[in-house]
């Protein structure tokens, strides 16, 4: 089990997190924004798993289950919103939905 | 039975108002007119029912308990006696005829629904004013009619001058109302009640005749009456109030609302009898208003303004009667005046509409053959106004007033009254000649379109014309037993002489007018055009310059102080929190731009900032 050092796992997690964050901020399509959010959630989950393995603690595994559940819930809400967005604006572009004129 | 009728009489106009006000434009002009006229018609029928079932004396009708705190249990109640019934009959009877005429007058105007909503609300408020058994309810009606007057003077609100006139009427009468309110406070403080019957019973027990408190209370109530009844010095709003539609002038600014002050003083007669000095003041103010307004009426060119000043002058007669203690005579003149002045105003309205809203005498003329109904109205109404002997209603009531003044040994007031009668003849003849005779002054007057509707045009004029003759004087029941004894009831010496004098004054006025305006027209015009005559004309035309005086003494200093206060230093400091809040608001509004991506960016920025701060914090980071 000690084949992979903890640092490698954490670096992978932070790379995934950064990719997700960049996608969240740069993408305009809601589909990709949702995917980016999934990537970020999974990177955080990965960090939990890596930590749990390194310190032999079951808490990290439990947190992983929680994160996965959360991601599923988030995906269902996000997809529902996406369908609404598409029906209203005939587009997945998030900036189109910006109607606020403070 | 009577209670039911009385309640119905003021409920109908209220329901009419509510229907019209909440229709929100869904009612067409015809439906609005039907509701507006119909509700007052039903109120008139209910009043008739109340008159028939009234069994004499003062009958109370309790509507409900207002609040109940220990022993203090004020009720909302009505008191119905002869005076109330007379006032109700005038308000709903004359009011109904005027509403009916308005259906003709207002055809094609915008905002008919608004017009009738205000008119019905006015009738309701006025009925409340005369029905209330305590001064508080009376005050509610008093303020209500003021509000309706404001709304109706400013009816043609697109012209800002009309808004100004409405504003002026509201503010000037409000000055009087402040006095009245103070009077009510004083009465409540001293007598512990606002119930009219209790006041009249308790005041003579607690107050010495002529004591300071009694004088002050009467003076404050008089202040309110002066404002509402357009007497000197709070009269300046009435001529400007003619900016409203003519039926409004007829109903509110001639027949009913402006006589509310007369009603108030007659109702509180016991209070005024305790203050002989104030009584005298009432008479003097009445006489002054009578003369000032009669002279001003001589120099007006707008037919409605002539009628406005004549209204003020006739209310002056009523105040004169109140001042000598002849309350019955004042109410008698109030009733006949309501008949003939409503007739004159409606006839003027007929002329104005027929001549396409032309109301300048210089531009009218020669109409008598083309507008026979309006001409007849003017002749009958004018005859009643100048109190043509024996055949008109005005003669009997004005004669009664002059007789009471004589019997009270007020020779000064009597002479003013007689002089006023001569002047009334002068301006009435001038009004009729200028409007109906001579050469037409404009194309509108050359080709008038006479009203043809029998029901809404002829009927109100004919009925009012009949009431303006001696028939109107016959149907007045006489309220002598309601009031303290008038001076003329104890003696009869000189009554015949007085009647001859009064007839002489009226006929002298007519003869003088005929001689001046028919034979010496050129001479008269020359006098009015140059030198002292021209200056006198200008002075009378502007009604003795009261407007200019008030403008200098009150309005301009006020405006000046308001301008100064605009740059108030303390106010600026008080405004500082508001300015700060507004700046923050502007910043926060910019942040809420609705773009999720920029929200995410800000979130990341904030999270990074917190992480860096935690890492750099002493003792943190590990």
């Amino acid at each position: 089990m000690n084949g992979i050092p903890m640092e490698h796992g954490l670096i992978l997690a932070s790379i995934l997190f950064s990719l997700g964050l960049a996608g969240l901020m740069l993408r305009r399509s809601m589909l990709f924004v949702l995917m980016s959010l999934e990537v970020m959630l999974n990177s955080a989950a990965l960090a939990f798993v890596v930590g749990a393995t390194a310190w032999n603690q079951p808490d990290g595994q439990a947190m992983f289950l929680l994160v996965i559940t959360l991601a599923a819930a988030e995906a269902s809400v996000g997809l529902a919103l996406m369908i609404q967005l598409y029906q209203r604006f005939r587009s997945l572009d998030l900036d189109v939905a910006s109607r606020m004129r403070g | 039975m009577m209670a039911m009728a009385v309640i119905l009489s003021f409920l109908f106009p209220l329901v009419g108002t509510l229907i019209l006000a909440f229709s929100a434009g869904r009612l067409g002009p015809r439906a609005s007119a039907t509701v507006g006229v119909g509700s007052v018609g039903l109120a008139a029928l209910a009043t008739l029912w109340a008159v028939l079932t009234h069994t004499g004396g003062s009958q109370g009708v309790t509507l409900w308990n207002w609040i109940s705190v220990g022993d203090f249990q004020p009720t909302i109640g009505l008191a119905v006696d002869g005076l109330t019934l007379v006032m109700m009959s005038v308000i709903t009877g004359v009011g109904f005829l005027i509403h009916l005429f308005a259906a003709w007058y207002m055809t094609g105007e915008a905002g008919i629904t608004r017009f009738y909503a205000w008119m019905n609300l006015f009738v309701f408020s006025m009925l409340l004013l005369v029905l209330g058994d305590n001064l508080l309810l009376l005050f509610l009606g008093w303020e209500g009619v003021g509000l309706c007057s404001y709304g109706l003077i400013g009816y043609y609100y697109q012209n800002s001058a009309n808004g100004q006139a409405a504003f002026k009427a509201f503010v000037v009468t409000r000055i009087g109302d402040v006095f009245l309110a103070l009077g009510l406070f004083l009465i409540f403080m001293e007598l512990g009640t606002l119930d009219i019957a209790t006041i009249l019973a308790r005041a003579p027990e607690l107050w010495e005749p002529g004591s300071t408190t009694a004088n002050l209370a009467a003076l404050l109530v008089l202040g309110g009456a002066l404002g509402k009844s357009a007497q000197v010095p709070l009269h300046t709003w009435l001529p400007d109030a003619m900016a409203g539609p003519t039926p409004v002038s007829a109903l509110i600014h001639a027949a009913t609302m402006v006589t509310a002050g007369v009603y108030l003083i007659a109702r509180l007669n016991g209070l005024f009898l305790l203050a002989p000095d104030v009584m005298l003041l009432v008479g003097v103010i009445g006489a002054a208003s009578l003369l000032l307004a009669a002279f001003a009426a001589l120099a007006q060119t707008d037919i409605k303004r002539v009628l406005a000043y004549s209204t003020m002058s006739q209310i002056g007669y009523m105040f004169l009667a109140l001042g000598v203690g002849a309350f019955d005579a004042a109410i008698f003149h109030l009733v006949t005046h309501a008949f003939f002045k409503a007739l004159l105003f409606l006839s003027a309205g007929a002329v104005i509409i027929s001549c396409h809203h032309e109301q300048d005498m210089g531009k009218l003329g020669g109409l008598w053959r083309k507008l026979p109904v309006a001409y007849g109205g003017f002749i009958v109404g004018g005859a009643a106004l100048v109190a043509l002997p024996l055949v008109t209603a005005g003669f009997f009531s004005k004669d009664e007033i002059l007789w009471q003044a004589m019997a009270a040994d007020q020779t000064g007031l009597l002479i003013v009254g007689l002089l006023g009668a001569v002047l009334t003849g002068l301006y009435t003849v001038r009004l009729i000649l200028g409007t109906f005779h001579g050469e037409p002054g404009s194309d509108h007057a050359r080709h008038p379109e006479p009203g043809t509707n029998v029901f809404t045009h002829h009927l109100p004029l004919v009925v009012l014309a009949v009431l303006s003759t001696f028939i109107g004087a016959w149907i007045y029941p006489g309220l002598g037993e309601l009031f303290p004894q008038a001076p003329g009831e104890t003696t009869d010496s000189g009554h015949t002489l007085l009647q001859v004098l009064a007839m002489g004054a009226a006929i002298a006025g007519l003869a003088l007018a005929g001689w001046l305006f028919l034979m010496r027209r050129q001479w008269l015009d020359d006098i009015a055009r140059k030198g002292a005559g021209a200056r006198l004309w200008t002075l009378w035309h502007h009604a003795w310059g009261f407007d200019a005086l008030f403008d200098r003494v009150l309005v301009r200093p006020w405006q000046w102080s308001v301008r100064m206060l605009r740059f108030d230093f303390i106010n600026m400091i008080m405004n500082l929190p508001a300015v700060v809040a507004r700046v923050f608001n502007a910043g926060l509004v910019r942040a809420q731009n609705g773009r999720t991506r920029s929200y995410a960016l800000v979130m990341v920025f904030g999270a990074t900032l917190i992480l860096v701060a935690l890492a750099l914090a002493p003792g943190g980071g590990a």
Side-chain angles (χ1 to χ4, degrees), chain B residues 377-408:
Chain B
F378 258 95
I379 290 292
V380 177
L385 178 60
V386 301
L388 206 65
L390 299 176
V391 291
T392 63
F395 167 73
F396 293 99
S397 55
K398 206 181 273 184
D399 168 68
E400 183 68 19
I401 289 176
L402 294 174
W403 158 237
Q404 298 287 357
M406 187 180 178

Side-chain angles (χ1 to χ4, degrees), chain B residues 347-394:
Chain B
S347 305
V351 171
I352 288 166
I353 288 293
S354 298
C355 296
H356 306 271
H357 286 276
E358 186 57 70
Q359 51 193 69
D360 187 338
M361 268 196 271
K363 294 185 178 155
L364 295 168
L367 292 167
W368 68 280
R369 213 186 284 274
K370 291 166 191 153
L371 301 175
V373 181
Y375 182 58
F378 258 95
I379 290 292
V380 177
L385 178 60
V386 301
L388 206 65
L390 299 176
V391 291
T392 63

